[in-house]
Amino acid sequence: MQPELLLFDIGNTSIKIGLAHERQVLTSYTLRTDVGQTADNLGLNLIALLGHAGVAPQSLKACVASSVVPGFDPLLREAVSRYVDCPLLCVGMDLPVPLENRYERPGEVGADRLVGAYAARRQCPEAPGLLVVDFGTAVTIDCVNGDAYMGGLIFPGPRTALSALSREAAKLPRVNLDVRADEPMPGRNTTTSIQHGLVFGFACMVEGLTQRLKRQLPGPVKVLGTGGFAASIARVSPVFDHVLPTLLLEGLRRLYYEERTAL
């Protein structure tokens, strides 16, 4: 089956773009979120991306997007209109998320958090409680009880923390977070000290927070990890039941076809 959908998960730092059909997400790409670019620049990048995937723009039925960057949305709308020429459906405005939203002010919840919670529910329909841990610019841990989104936690992501550390501490370098050790060790150089501190520190934080949150949800509770850093945490910790790198894209895909079936 050929791709029918172009999917956009627009975050503060990066945009994950997926191609999908009715059965699955087929492939994904990542671009930087740049609100300073022109719609033409974005549109030409989309044409290049589709060309790389061997997909003709006219073969697409729709574009589906969730965004937490309001300044980027007009760029996307113009780029899609000019270069892809198919309907653009945005979560919240055009596609409702079929979960009961129990946030005190439902409109304050990021579309990405609702889409991730919805995708997790569809992925694990048998689990009474779910925790979705998404690693991005921020880390979010979102709680799902049955078909209700209960809210969650937000704290700085690993790379955000690393940037702040390098910025605020003049003698501390920026390092990569590629750690091969299975356990933390006392660092004998600054790079190792930062790497192990951040990687194992975030692993322990996620372990502790998910254990505390599990006690507030009906069991058994499944914990799903997504986002760029989830695989690094999974390598050193058994905290996740599943690591699903394309969870949000899968949620966008399901939202489109579920809405179309309901019409």
Side-chain angles (χ1 to χ4, degrees):
M1 294 178 65
Q2 290 297 307
E4 296 181 334
L5 299 180
L6 186 59
L7 310 171
F8 298 90
D9 169 24
I10 302 165
N12 288 293
T13 303
S14 62
I15 308 165
K16 184 163 277 189
I17 301 173
L19 287 162
H21 55 48
E22 193 167 1
R23 295 181 183 175
Q24 66 187 67
V25 175
L26 298 167
T27 189
S28 66
Y29 300 84
T30 303
L31 301 179
R32 289 197 62 81
T33 306
D34 179 8
V35 296
Q37 68 181 308
T38 66
D40 287 332
N41 185 72
L42 175 60
L44 290 170
N45 278 332
L46 294 178
I47 290 297
L49 181 153
L50 292 171
H52 180 271
V55 177
Q58 58 268 26
S59 69
L60 296 171
K61 291 184 176 179
C63 297
V64 184
S66 75
S67 173
V68 297
V69 187
F72 193 86
D73 300 350
L75 286 174
L76 178 65
R77 202 167 283 281
E78 185 178 344
V80 166
S81 174
R82 183 170 182 181
Y83 290 91
V84 185
D85 193 27
C86 66
L88 173 63
L89 305 175
C90 296
V91 173
M93 294 174 56
D94 308 301
L95 287 175
V97 178
L99 290 178
E100 179 188 354
N101 186 344
R102 295 194 184 175
Y103 228 56
E104 288 181 359
R105 295 175 178 163
E108 290 184 354
V109 185
D112 55 342
R113 298 174 69 186
L114 291 175
V115 171
Y118 158 79
R121 172 46 67 212
R122 293 297 185 265
Q123 184 80 22
C124 303
E126 78 292 345
L130 295 167
L131 294 172
V132 183
V133 186
D134 187 356
F135 290 87
T137 305
V139 179
T140 56
I141 305 180
D142 289 306
C143 306
V144 182
N145 181 356
D147 286 326
Y149 172 78
M150 307 300 293
L153 307 176
I154 305 174
F155 50 96
R159 300 198 182 281
T160 304
L162 179 59
S163 295
L165 190 64
S166 299
R167 183 178 64 250
E168 299 298 331
K171 290 188 176 182
L172 294 182
R174 290 185 68 95
V175 301
N176 70 65
L177 296 179
D178 184 17
V179 171
R180 295 302 173 193
D182 295 324
E183 295 290 342
M185 63 180 67
R188 298 179 64 186
N189 58 69
T190 303
T191 295
T192 301
S193 298
I194 295 173
Q195 287 175 328
H196 284 224
L198 280 169
V199 172
F200 292 100
F202 271 88
C204 291
M205 187 165 14
V206 172
E207 288 170 355
L209 289 173
T210 54
Q211 283 302 314
R212 287 171 179 259
L213 289 170
K214 278 182 178 181
R215 297 198 288 266
Q216 302 179 53
L217 293 171
V221 177
K222 286 196 172 181
V223 181
L224 280 62
T226 191
F229 204 65
S232 297
I233 296 296
R235 202 189 64 76
V236 300
S237 169
V239 65
F240 300 126
D241 294 290
H242 304 286
V243 174
L244 303 170
T246 60
L247 181 67
L248 270 68
L249 295 179
E250 177 64 20
L252 294 173
R253 182 193 71 82
R254 287 176 179 263
L255 276 174
Y256 174 81
Y257 286 109
E258 191 170 300
E259 177 77 5
R260 195 174 70 163
T261 301
L263 294 176

